[in-house]
Amino acid sequence: MPKVKTNAASKKRFALTGTGKIKRKHAYHSHILTKKTKKRKRNLDHTALVADANIKAVRELLNLR
C-alpha cells in the first residue's frame, strides 16, 4: 500500500502547539496594507487557533490521526 502524502500547502500554513492544538495565521495581512489601520495590522499579525468546526478537515490534510 502506498504512503499517504501530507498536503504540501497545509504543512506550510499550519503548525502544532505543544498540547496538540493547531495554529494558523490570519488572512488579509499580505498586501494592500496602506488602507488598513495600525491596530488592524497589529491584530492580524498574531497567530490564532483553528476553529473547532475546521479541526477535522485540517487534521486530515496534515495526516494527523
Side-chain angles (χ1 to χ4, degrees):
M1 192 160 154
K3 292 182 181 179
V4 179
K5 291 190 175 183
T6 299
N7 183 281
S10 297
K11 66 185 174 186
K12 297 170 192 172
R13 286 171 170 79
F14 299 105
L16 286 176
T17 64
T19 56
K21 296 175 182 173
I22 304 171
K23 288 194 302 187
R24 66 170 177 85
K25 293 187 174 81
H26 285 279
Y28 308 110
H29 191 60
S30 58
H31 59 94
I32 314 177
L33 298 173
T34 53
K35 64 174 76 171
K36 295 171 187 157
T37 63
K38 290 179 186 178
K39 179 180 179 181
R40 183 173 166 192
K41 289 185 281 190
R42 185 172 61 245
N43 289 335
L44 290 171
D45 201 31
H46 303 300
T47 56
L49 295 176
V50 172
D52 293 337
N54 300 323
I55 287 177
K56 184 180 176 189
V58 173
R59 289 182 73 85
E60 286 177 6
L61 289 169
L62 297 173
N63 289 327
L64 301 172
R65 301 287 184 256

